[in-house]
Amino acid sequence: MNKFVKVEREHQSRFFADCEPGAGGYRGSAYRLDPTSFERNLAPSIRNTVPEYFKQKSIQWHRHSNHGLSSQVCCLNFLAPLAQKPQMLARLVQATLGGEEPTMLPVEEGPDGQWFVGFEWIGGNYLNEAGKSGTRSRGANATSADAVLMFIRAAKRETLLIEWKYSESYGSPISPNGNPTRMKRYEELAFYPVGPIRADLNLTLEDFFWEPFYQLLRQQMLAFQMERAGEDGADIVRVLHLSPLNNIALKSVTAPKLREHGPSFSAAWRHLLNQPSRFVSMDIDKAFAPLLTQPSAVQDWADYITTRYSNLLFIDTEASI
């Protein structure tokens, strides 16, 4: 087992025992909640609004929404409490992209007003993923970003697609059963000038059929096409990959044909892109430190995050908040 996963299972088990007594223990695992009470996996401040938002937008919950190590839930716990805090989201953008602090733009209407962050974002149907009905679902059976931010910076309108990782690690190629469909959908969308991947590296689409590269490819193709179409008026669309510093197993280059392009998945991925600036990878700790150490931090959110996800954060919040 991934050492990081073992540590997090123990930590989340203790968290549920201390903060959600009686909730853990589903199927004998202290880090799992009963599916009928999955909302207790969410921070208290979003237990009503997020389920309503998912219902409002017809967003699919991931299979393990009751699991303490759910990436989807982790992303929601970090970002959903800030949905109506544009100044804090602006600091997050500045921490991850550098440069001047942006002016955040509303993404969509939430159950309690305008939200400046959206979740399970699929953009337009650029990747040939709509079924016979011509529709797609947010959160299932279509390329989606875990979260999306929109803002204006340096007189340009930008969209940031966020991919959130927590306990994942990879090693095996994806199942070959769907490869003919994958080839049909994406083969003409991957390589520059019609896609984001450099065309001078003698690579094929099948070389990317290893996670996390297959997922990265689809998200980067989505970002490329969104920028090309100027979706939501965007001049620039980037992918931001956020993951824990200590999840070392996640950072390896799993795809054999891509190992010569960098020592880690993020370094290799940037080398593969025709526009490397359209991809940013950062540790969760580094991205959120400027928010959690500010006097204006939302206290209940900061307390919850630093207690539940302390193994993802390595900052002295008590001295600053």
Side-chain angles (χ1 to χ4, degrees):
M1 183 191 299
N2 181 340
K3 181 180 179 181
F4 177 79
V5 172
K6 183 178 180 180
V7 170
E8 282 305 292
R9 284 182 176 180
E10 294 171 352
H11 181 76
Q12 292 300 325
S13 295
R14 290 193 300 272
F15 175 81
F16 286 144
D18 293 342
C19 301
E20 298 292 337
Y26 180 68
R27 292 187 174 179
S29 298
Y31 49 85
R32 294 180 188 233
L33 308 178
D34 189 293
T36 61
S37 302
F38 80 95
E39 69 278 356
R40 294 178 71 175
N41 208 8
L42 298 168
S45 65
I46 60 172
R47 286 179 185 173
N48 293 324
T49 55
V50 163
E52 181 60 29
Y53 168 82
F54 271 49
K55 181 179 179 181
Q56 182 186 89
K57 306 300 180 184
S58 299
I59 298 174
Q60 300 293 311
W61 285 96
H62 291 180
R63 180 181 177 185
H64 297 295
S65 59
N66 63 316
H67 197 299
L69 277 67
S70 165
S71 289
Q72 183 185 49
V73 168
C74 184
C75 177
L76 288 165
N77 283 336
F78 269 81
L79 287 174
L82 309 181
Q84 294 180 310
K85 308 288 184 183
Q87 290 184 329
M88 294 189 70
L89 292 171
R91 284 199 287 273
L92 175 64
V93 172
Q94 188 176 43
T96 55
L97 301 186
E100 64 185 54
E101 190 172 293
T103 299
M104 303 305 297
L105 301 172
V107 172
E108 59 185 344
E109 194 74 15
D112 52 353
Q114 286 188 326
W115 280 24
F116 290 82
V117 57
F119 296 95
E120 300 298 338
W121 196 257
I122 57 176
N125 182 33
Y126 306 113
L127 306 184
N128 305 316
E129 294 175 338
K132 293 181 181 180
S133 64
T135 61
R136 295 167 301 143
S137 298
R138 289 170 66 172
N141 303 317
T143 298
S144 61
D146 291 317
V148 63
L149 299 172
M150 299 177 184
F151 51 91
I152 295 174
R153 188 177 66 141
K156 290 187 179 294
R157 183 166 177 144
E158 298 193 34
T159 296
L160 192 62
L161 303 180
I162 299 175
E163 173 60 19
W164 192 283
K165 296 297 184 187
Y166 181 8
S167 60
E168 294 89 344
S169 61
Y170 306 99
S172 302
I174 60 176
S175 170
N177 294 339
N179 284 357
T181 299
R182 297 180 184 111
M183 296 294 290
K184 183 178 179 180
R185 282 180 178 174
Y186 306 129
E187 192 168 27
E188 302 302 321
L189 295 170
F191 298 97
Y192 191 79
V194 294
I197 305 299
R198 289 170 54 185
D200 61 342
L201 300 175
N202 198 31
L203 294 170
T204 68
L205 184 64
E206 290 178 302
D207 295 331
F208 294 84
F209 288 174
W210 297 69
E211 295 294 11
F213 291 98
Y214 177 60
Q215 187 180 56
L216 279 173
L217 175 65
R218 289 184 292 120
Q219 290 171 343
Q220 205 74 56
M221 289 190 298
L222 177 61
F224 181 92
Q225 296 298 335
M226 287 175 63
E227 181 174 320
R228 195 179 191 186
E231 183 169 308
D232 296 307
D235 300 297
I236 297 171
V237 182
R238 306 178 200 267
V239 174
L240 170 63
H241 190 282
L242 293 174
S243 63
L245 172 66
N246 284 343
N247 189 353
I248 305 301
L250 175 64
K251 305 179 189 303
S252 63
V253 182
T254 54
K257 292 290 184 69
L258 306 184
R259 287 172 184 157
E260 64 183 87
H261 297 285
S264 66
F265 85 91
S266 58
W269 191 248
R270 285 178 60 84
H271 186 257
L272 296 172
L273 294 179
N274 188 66
Q275 289 183 288
S277 65
R278 295 304 189 261
F279 175 75
V280 177
S281 180
M282 184 172 286
D283 299 326
I284 291 171
D285 169 59
K286 186 176 180 181
F288 280 85
L291 282 72
L292 290 164
T293 57
Q294 288 291 323
S296 58
V298 179
Q299 191 67 53
D300 60 347
W301 168 79
D303 289 344
Y304 183 88
I305 290 297
T306 54
T307 300
R308 179 165 182 181
Y309 298 109
S310 60
N311 291 337
L312 280 61
L313 303 165
F314 310 95
I315 52 179
D316 183 6
T317 56
E318 292 184 1
S320 304
I321 294 177

